[in-house]
Amino acid sequence: MLLPERMPEPWNAFFTELDSKLTEEVHLHCLGGFVISVCYGLERPTNDVDFISLHPNDQREVILRLAGEGSSLRRKHGVYLQCVTVSNLPEGYEERLIEMFPGTFRNIHLYALDPYDLALTKIDRNIQRDRDDVKHLVKTVPLDRQILQDRFERELRPIFVGDVRRADLTMKLWLEAFY
């Protein structure tokens, strides 16, 4: 992971203010453009932090009210938190989460999907932005071809929700295009 020493703006101000409003610890499992840009250096604009899981779960409504799309924090900082309700995630992804900026906030703990799991979340949609994200990860991490393929076949494909044949084809095309 290529984390900068300090969380970049406007994210730092946003999370600092959100942290000050929380009364208990919250752990967010993050993915998407925020993670790829902040953790892996891809310069592409994004104004949301996608998260797939939040612990404790009873804080979801609090977090979204304070920092969701319609929140005053979004109006002030121009960024917001978004809960992703449908995503194909490799089995066991939670064991590989990486904490971002540990110790920066009192109540907020942000975790990024590991780069292989992050790449595999892109396989279903596979629009140009997703392919660009995966290509960037392949080059900068760099992602090992065999690990990516094995994780797809062993941990994602058996539990994949959607068109598995399309996902197989996408994986084949990625391997040919990016390696």
Side-chain angles (χ1 to χ4, degrees):
M1 193 169 345
L2 310 168
L3 274 179
E5 245 180 68
R6 187 168 186 261
M7 183 179 284
E9 297 298 346
W11 306 108
N12 188 60
F14 172 79
F15 280 115
T16 298
E17 189 168 344
L18 174 60
D19 190 63
S20 73
K21 295 176 183 292
L22 296 175
T23 58
E24 65 180 90
E25 285 190 12
V26 174
H27 299 255
L28 294 158
H29 299 179
C30 303
L31 68 161
F34 169 75
V35 172
I36 289 176
S37 63
V38 170
C39 297
Y40 299 103
L42 179 61
E43 292 186 24
R44 96 161 152 84
T46 186
N47 61 353
D48 63 358
V49 177
D50 294 324
F51 68 93
I52 48 170
S53 182
L54 176 144
H55 300 288
N57 195 45
D58 66 354
Q59 291 298 298
R60 180 183 314 265
E61 293 307 315
V62 172
I63 287 288
L64 291 174
R65 181 176 39 79
L66 291 171
E69 192 168 9
S71 69
S72 62
L73 283 177
R74 187 212 179 150
R75 288 187 294 280
K76 181 175 181 179
H77 299 284
V79 295
Y80 64 98
L81 290 172
Q82 178 171 296
C83 181
V84 175
T85 56
V86 177
S87 183
N88 279 299
L89 296 161
E91 193 171 6
Y93 84 89
E94 291 171 318
E95 298 164 10
R96 296 182 291 264
L97 289 168
I98 305 160
E99 188 168 6
M100 298 183 285
F101 307 101
T104 301
F105 307 108
R106 181 174 45 96
N107 290 311
I108 297 174
H109 301 275
L110 301 171
Y111 297 88
L113 266 65
D114 104 317
Y116 294 93
D117 294 339
L118 188 58
L120 290 173
T121 66
K122 306 287 188 171
I123 203 162
D124 191 30
R125 189 172 66 174
N126 194 37
I127 61 174
Q128 185 62 51
R129 181 175 62 229
D130 296 326
R131 291 188 297 275
D132 293 343
D133 289 351
V134 174
K135 184 178 181 179
H136 178 79
L137 291 171
V138 166
K139 290 182 178 188
T140 59
V141 170
L143 295 184
D144 179 272
R145 175 190 174 108
Q146 195 59 53
I147 293 171
L148 182 64
Q149 188 172 4
D150 288 349
R151 197 167 296 174
F152 170 70
E153 290 173 5
R154 293 184 184 144
E155 297 180 19
L156 182 60
R157 192 177 190 284
I159 61 170
F160 191 81
V161 176
D163 188 341
V164 175
R165 290 179 301 169
R166 184 171 180 252
D168 288 340
L169 179 59
T170 299
M171 177 54 66
K172 182 177 184 235
L173 293 173
W174 284 1
L175 294 174
E176 289 172 4
F178 303 146
Y179 291 96

